[in-house]
Amino acid sequence: MSAILDLAAQNLLSPVILCFALGLAAALARSDLSFPEAIAKGMSLYLLFAIGFKGGVSVAAHGVDLGLALAVLAGITLSLGLPFIAFSLLRTLSPGVSVLDAAAVAGHYGSISIVTFVAMSALLTGQGLEAEGYMIAVAAAMEAPAIVAALWLVSRKGGESRVGGELWREILLNGSIVLLMGAFVIGWVTGEDGMVEIAPFIVTPFKGVLCLFLLDMGLVAGRGLRSARGVITPGIAVFGVVMPLIGAALGLGAGFVLGLSTGGVAALTALAASASYIAVPAAMRVALPRANPALYLTLSLGITFPFNLTLGLPLYVALARVVTGG
Amino acid sequence: MQMHDAKRVEIIIEAIMERQISTALTQVGVTGFTILPVLGGSGRSGHWTREGGVGRASGMIAVICLVAPPRLDSLLKGIFPLLDEHIGVVSVSDTQVLRAERF
């Protein structure tokens, strides 16, 4: 227990988390601190490229085995299954939430937050641990199935969704996925030689950029919380903390059964515990325009993301150490 | 200078709908329009701002098109199915243009 508390304290006092806290506090205090959209977008592109490339290099170094296919399959299964749990839990904790809103929220919790994954990778590196490189592919594979599950939930309950070419383009070809997987493939093809060439760009500045990006995420989360005070009821807030723990438990179990390394189990746990706030909100605006964006964006970005970032990630690393003995 | 009557249609809509609204306009024969970024604002769905956001889910755009008055109805009918359920505002105002044959 003391190990978990030590890791949590160490995590809370890291520059990455303190930057997020600064952004959150600045937004809640109505400071005019802000990042231009282009800079925020540029930082997210950098982080996606760096994390994808590193994953590809890792796969090139360690080779491809059955573990990759099984981990991707487990990720897809989690992504398809978690929305059903999220839907039922949210409707139980807050019966006033409509079917449409509950399904939209459920889609977010089946999908993943790549920034949470990046933060977990940084935490693991600080702990001397490393996840399997192919966890990048698992992360990418977990984006879309949850959206399909959410739309199925809506249709099962008699609701309408707009499923068409635009939605599939949004799901499968959104910029985040294309860049993440593209960088992964480039890293895989070029291997360690490629890494040596661009390491000064994607390794050394990585944590500094992550700090600034999380400062911006804190600002966005704080602004969302401020403007959505009437939307989040106590039951919904409880959901925002309990659901990631349920996802984490399933991700932890799946990682253990797959025989992943300690870092790999922690990464899969973080993926299953996280909720999307980039890819799925965009898909939901296309497919379920009547669902309330203030609800799902505030839940995933204003409650679950800060919870995972501050308390969840160290907890998941500690649990991964316990189950793997690492 | 000879001026001609025209209609100015301004559509403020979610950024995520940009491709679909462009396609719908083209399909009703409106091939000239301008898309502008929207810095921020407030409406029935709350506040929005371009600052800091990395996803397109909460951003808005403004689509502006100028058409000859007889073409206004078909334009509005063409875009209405897209606007029906999405956050946004459509306004139509009278304006004048220099070269009528272009609209």
Side-chain angles (χ1 to χ4, degrees):
Chain A
M1 188 65 191
S2 70
I4 296 178
L5 291 176
D6 284 348
L7 186 55
Q10 197 181 325
N11 182 53
L12 284 173
L13 294 176
S14 68
V16 169
I17 304 302
L18 289 176
C19 282
F20 179 79
L22 172 63
L24 196 64
L28 291 175
R30 297 175 186 270
S31 162
D32 65 352
L33 176 62
S34 65
F35 281 77
E37 183 191 24
I39 298 218
K41 184 88 180 167
M43 289 191 296
S44 80
L45 293 176
Y46 169 84
L47 293 171
L48 287 167
F49 178 78
I51 199 84
F53 192 89
K54 287 176 196 168
V57 171
S58 174
V59 167
H62 298 108
V64 179
D65 54 21
L66 186 62
L68 187 155
L70 291 175
V72 168
L73 192 63
I76 291 172
T77 308
L78 282 168
S79 180
L80 274 173
L82 283 170
F84 292 91
I85 299 172
F87 182 83
S88 302
L89 183 66
L90 182 57
R91 298 269 287 167
T92 304
L93 289 172
S94 185
V97 174
S98 70
V99 166
L100 203 59
D101 285 340
V105 168
H108 288 67
Y109 281 81
S111 188
I112 58 112
S113 149
I114 198 69
V115 185
T116 306
F117 180 76
V118 171
M120 175 55 104
S121 301
L123 181 63
L124 289 173
T125 305
Q127 293 290 306
L129 297 169
E130 197 182 339
E132 285 78 357
Y134 56 68
M135 291 309 293
I136 295 294
V138 177
M142 287 179 76
E143 286 264 22
I147 299 170
V148 177
L151 299 183
W152 190 81
L153 275 166
V154 171
S155 65
R156 194 187 62 164
K157 300 284 182 183
E160 277 186 28
S161 56
R162 292 182 170 185
V163 181
E166 188 62 29
L167 174 67
W168 289 111
R169 188 182 295 114
E170 197 60 48
I171 293 174
L172 300 173
L173 290 176
N174 76 74
S176 305
I177 294 288
V178 170
L179 181 58
L180 188 69
M181 288 312 295
F184 176 77
V185 171
I186 293 169
W188 190 355
V189 170
T190 59
E192 200 56 46
D193 292 342
M195 177 58 101
V196 169
E197 283 185 44
I198 62 169
F201 176 67
I202 66 163
V203 177
T204 311
F206 185 80
K207 264 206 168 172
V209 176
L210 183 58
C211 283
L212 280 180
F213 186 72
L214 283 174
L215 174 58
D216 179 49
M217 287 281 97
L219 288 166
V220 175
R223 280 197 289 264
L225 279 174
R226 228 177 51 209
S227 62
R229 278 187 186 137
V231 177
I232 303 299
T233 62
I236 292 173
V238 168
F239 170 85
V241 174
V242 172
M243 188 57 214
L245 293 174
I246 294 172
L250 294 172
L252 188 78
F256 175 69
V257 169
L258 288 170
L260 297 177
S261 66
T262 305
V265 171
L268 187 58
T269 304
L271 286 173
S274 67
S276 172
Y277 46 80
I278 296 178
V280 179
M284 288 302 154
R285 290 312 303 151
V286 174
L288 303 175
R290 286 189 191 276
N292 182 3
L295 177 63
Y296 52 71
L297 278 173
T298 308
L299 256 177
S300 64
L301 188 55
I303 297 178
T304 299
F305 180 64
F307 168 73
N308 275 332
L309 204 58
T310 52
L311 300 174
L313 296 188
L315 176 68
Y316 307 151
V317 173
L319 290 174
R321 282 189 187 278
V322 170
V323 298
T324 60
Chain B
M1 183 75 73
Q2 175 68 44
M3 301 291 282
H4 306 272
D5 288 342
K7 296 288 182 182
R8 184 181 193 274
V9 181
E10 184 171 302
I11 307 157
I12 310 283
I13 193 167
E14 296 170 73
I16 196 77
M17 298 299 291
E18 181 180 333
R19 195 196 310 260
Q20 292 184 65
I21 202 90
S22 303
T23 304
L25 286 171
T26 308
Q27 280 173 352
V28 294
V30 179
T31 52
F33 51 86
T34 304
I35 299 174
L36 302 173
V38 173
L39 284 179
S42 179
R44 283 174 57 192
S45 305
H47 292 268
W48 72 85
T49 174
R50 287 183 74 206
E51 286 175 352
V54 291
R56 292 190 300 144
S58 53
M60 305 287 282
I61 53 168
V63 183
I64 295 164
C65 35
L66 301 173
V67 292
R71 298 176 63 193
L72 177 65
D73 203 42
S74 65
L75 186 160
L76 295 176
K77 279 180 183 161
I79 61 171
F80 185 74
L82 293 178
L83 305 169
D84 187 22
E85 295 186 329
H86 284 273
I87 299 166
V89 177
V90 180
S91 62
V92 180
S93 51
D94 293 322
T95 189
Q96 292 196 312
V97 293
L98 282 175
R99 295 167 291 186
E101 71 280 3
R102 296 192 171 206
F103 305 94

